[in-house]
Amino acid sequence: MTHVLHRQIHHSLPVAVGARGITITDAAGREYIDASGGAAVSCLGHGHPDVVAAMHAQIDRLAYAHTSFFTTEVAEQLADQLVRSAPPGISHAYFVSGGSEAVEAALKMARQYFVEIGQPQRRHFIARRQSYHGNTLGALAVGGNEWRRKQFAPLLIPMTHVSACYEYRGRAEGETAEAYGARLVAELGDAIDTLGGQNVIAFVAETIGGATSGAITPVPGYLRGVRELCTRHGILLILDEVMCGMGRTGTLHACEQEGVVPDLLTIAKGLGGGYQPIGAVLAQASIVQAFAAGSGLFQHGHTYIGHPVACAAALAVQRVIERDGLLAQVQRLGRGLRERLDARFGEHPQVGDIRGRGLFQAIELVRERATKAPFDPARRLHARIKSEAMARGLMVYPMGGTVDGVQGDHVLLAPPFVATDTDLDRIVERLAAAVTAAL
Ligand SMILES: Cc1ncc(COP(=O)(O)O)c(C=O)c1O
């Protein structure tokens, strides 16, 4: 009997014993192609020699030094690297141990910023339905997935949620993508007016929706409209790129492709590629300067922030991405993945939408294409696809509740940047077989 409280108490999981490249091996000797990088984490695959060597070297030199006593060379170097490659105006990185912690830190940074500059009346956040920002209480509160929020709702800070940018279901018949985006910006404007623009701290959004929505991409102009609206009201824009960032969509930050610069940018997953738990908030100079001119501190902190081994792993991952030109490779492989998905599922009667960018793509399953009607949630189609895929040696990241937190199923693919064309062939082939078996 296990003494680990696993995610699902009644499921028994295979025991992972080894991993190399894009393959994980279990104790029974079965191999699984990691076509989702776990949860869009393992951007360099597994056992990358440069990352492993950098971690070994750091452990031998210095495994831990508390950040209230010391800084470390490796944390300084990682911050330099991240600021050098960040959107304009970003001047500092605040290191944490994962995505939820990054979101929590960003929320508190945003609130403290307004206290520091003499606008303490600002107390509201606005976020989007269908979003996922993490499972800690602050991050869960901004998240818009009803199923995840429901039983914890009495514990969550009050939140205003507006529509997600979900073109497949949200754009009206005959409406252009641009008009749809403008309609969403107007909806956000109404929400701001209801709360009073002077009372809102920030708008929080995933640049490309991930875990709970399945790679929903912003329509042209939408995020630029959001940015303008926030700026007009002095509201901060927090973009959460914990899942879609760090190269996954073909540029280091997904917001680069939107021509939008956030005030705070959260990153994690692909930052350390799964070699160590690490996340970060990248902050605009104006925010850090407000702290410097005011209290002189960010009132936050955890025991493991800036952990040297985590920083060493992340620095090595980011250097490999740069050295090996992996962003261009993500763009090329992303096009190849889309071609294969289109070829396999483009005419599939139960695949309503194929979407995403770079190596961050998803299919959404529907009972009927014409009406976009989802499957009965009781069928748990997403879970069936996951187990059929695992039975075929394939890891994908399916989720239910795509449409409204309860209905809808999608399958997210996020293969490592080091995958080959042959890997993509095998991934899409096995996924097609798993979908057929699950339906
Ligand atoms: C956009 C986004 N934000 C935050 C999180 C939470 O990250 P973590 O699971 O590392 O706490 C996730 C995780 O999937 C995510 O996709």
Side-chain angles (χ1 to χ4, degrees), residues 7 39 97-103 132-136 139 206 208-212 240-244 266 268-269 278 360 397:
R7 286 170 182 251
S97 302
S100 301
E101 279 190 16
V103 171
Y132 183 64
H133 296 291
N135 267 330
T136 50
E206 296 160 273
I208 297 184
T212 50
D240 182 356
E241 298 203 2
V242 162
M243 197 176 234
C244 65
T266 55
K269 298 185 187 272
I278 184 164
F360 193 53
Y397 201 58

Side-chain angles (χ1 to χ4, degrees), residues 207 223-224 227 239 253-262 357:
T207 308
L223 280 178
R224 270 200 306 281
R227 173 70 274 184
L239 288 181
H253 304 294
C255 58
E256 291 170 39
Q257 294 173 53
E258 302 305 311
V260 165
V261 175
R357 258 183 221 162

Side-chain angles (χ1 to χ4, degrees), residues 34-230:
D34 189 359
S36 55
V41 173
S42 303
C43 53
L44 294 187
H46 302 271
H48 196 289
D50 299 69
V51 185
V52 172
M55 287 167 60
H56 282 159
Q58 185 61 47
I59 291 169
D60 287 342
R61 209 176 310 128
L62 170 74
Y64 178 68
H66 194 279
T67 46
S68 72
F69 298 89
F70 295 103
T71 184
T72 57
E73 286 170 1
V74 71
E76 297 292 337
Q77 286 169 1
L78 178 60
D80 290 348
Q81 165 90 21
L82 293 175
V83 168
R84 183 167 53 74
S85 53
I90 298 278
S91 65
H92 286 76
Y94 183 83
F95 294 120
V96 291
S97 302
S100 301
E101 279 190 16
V103 171
E104 296 289 337
L107 299 178
K108 287 180 70 178
M109 241 182 232
R111 164 66 190 167
Q112 187 180 327
Y113 167 70
F114 285 115
V115 174
E116 300 278 9
I117 66 167
Q119 298 183 30
Q121 83 288 352
R122 288 193 189 258
R123 63 186 186 284
H124 298 295
F125 288 97
I126 304 177
R128 300 189 301 184
R129 289 189 280 280
Q130 267 95 281
S131 61
Y132 183 64
H133 296 291
N135 267 330
T136 50
L137 290 177
L140 191 62
V142 275
N145 180 270
E146 272 318 302
W147 178 77
R148 280 179 171 69
R149 291 171 54 88
K150 203 168 175 189
Q151 71 168 321
F152 302 105
L155 310 183
L156 303 179
I157 54 171
M159 192 61 52
T160 298
H161 285 112
V162 295
S163 300
C165 186
Y166 185 1
E167 190 178 6
Y168 174 59
R169 291 188 182 274
R171 180 159 67 84
E173 194 80 21
E175 189 178 37
T176 64
E178 287 76 9
Y180 171 52
R183 175 158 63 85
L184 293 176
V185 173
E187 182 190 337
L188 174 60
D190 289 345
I192 291 171
D193 291 343
T194 303
L195 294 167
Q198 73 286 359
N199 296 322
V200 178
I201 296 173
F203 177 61
V204 187
E206 296 160 273
T207 308
I208 297 184
T212 50
S213 57
I216 50 175
T217 51
V219 292
Y222 163 69
L223 280 178
R224 270 200 306 281
V226 165
R227 173 70 274 184
E228 282 162 23
L229 191 57
C230 289

Side-chain angles (χ1 to χ4, degrees), residues 168-169 349-352 364-376 379 381 407 409 439:
Y168 174 59
R169 291 188 182 274
Q350 268 73 55
V351 174
E364 181 171 334
L365 295 129
V366 288
R367 191 160 46 76
E368 199 180 58
R369 271 170 83 134
T371 59
K372 303 182 183 177
F375 282 93
D376 180 353
R379 272 186 77 162
L381 180 60
Q407 301 188 86
D409 302 87
L439 278 170

